Amino acid sequence: QVQLVESGGGLVQAGGSLRLSCAASGSIFGSMGWYRQAPGKQRELVATVTRGGTTNYADSVKGRFTISRDNAKNTVYLQMNSLKFEDTAVYYCNVNSWAGSSWGQGTQVTVSS
């Protein structure tokens, strides 16, 4: 099983920025990404990145969020700028590896209006 440690969530005013990090316990050759779940809603894709650096974003975050990964550190990042109230959610890291799909414990992001 791959262990994931997330960090970087918190409370921020609308228009502000946060950076999430997720460190994996081993080398990840599959995609890495971030999902989020707001209260009363289903978990949804935010962004993914392949080992080669190809990225994919939800339409709602395009132009505001940037996903990146450091393969040497087995870490994926999510830089979130111009945050909106509707970005408030628990953000989960996800990686695909030899162990299958693994999820982090989640980190709360709260954007105050």
Side-chain angles (χ1 to χ4, degrees):
Q1 186 72 311
V2 175
Q3 303 299 318
L4 302 174
V5 179
E6 301 169 353
S7 61
L11 173 64
V12 65
Q13 288 187 333
S17 298
L18 283 174
R19 188 191 194 206
L20 305 182
S21 299
C22 173
S25 58
S27 296
I28 304 299
F29 291 92
S31 64
M32 305 178 81
W34 292 92
Y35 291 71
R36 67 186 181 187
Q37 187 166 18
K41 295 187 177 181
Q42 290 187 332
R43 191 172 297 188
E44 63 176 4
L45 168 74
V46 176
T48 61
V49 59
T50 67
R51 186 171 178 83
T54 300
T55 58
N56 178 52
Y57 294 93
D59 287 343
S60 59
V61 307
K62 284 181 180 177
R64 300 188 298 121
F65 292 9
T66 302
I67 190 170
S68 61
R69 64 190 280 175
D70 185 331
N71 293 326
K73 295 182 178 180
N74 305 316
T75 300
V76 62
Y77 306 95
L78 186 68
Q79 178 67 43
M80 304 185 292
N81 298 328
S82 302
L83 282 160
K84 302 177 181 180
F85 175 76
E86 50 264 40
D87 295 319
T88 296
V90 178
Y91 284 70
Y92 296 91
C93 175
N94 173 263
V95 303
N96 294 293
S97 69
W98 58 269
S101 181
S102 301
W103 293 90
Q105 79 281 6
T107 184
Q108 177 71 45
V109 172
T110 302
V111 184
S112 62
S113 59

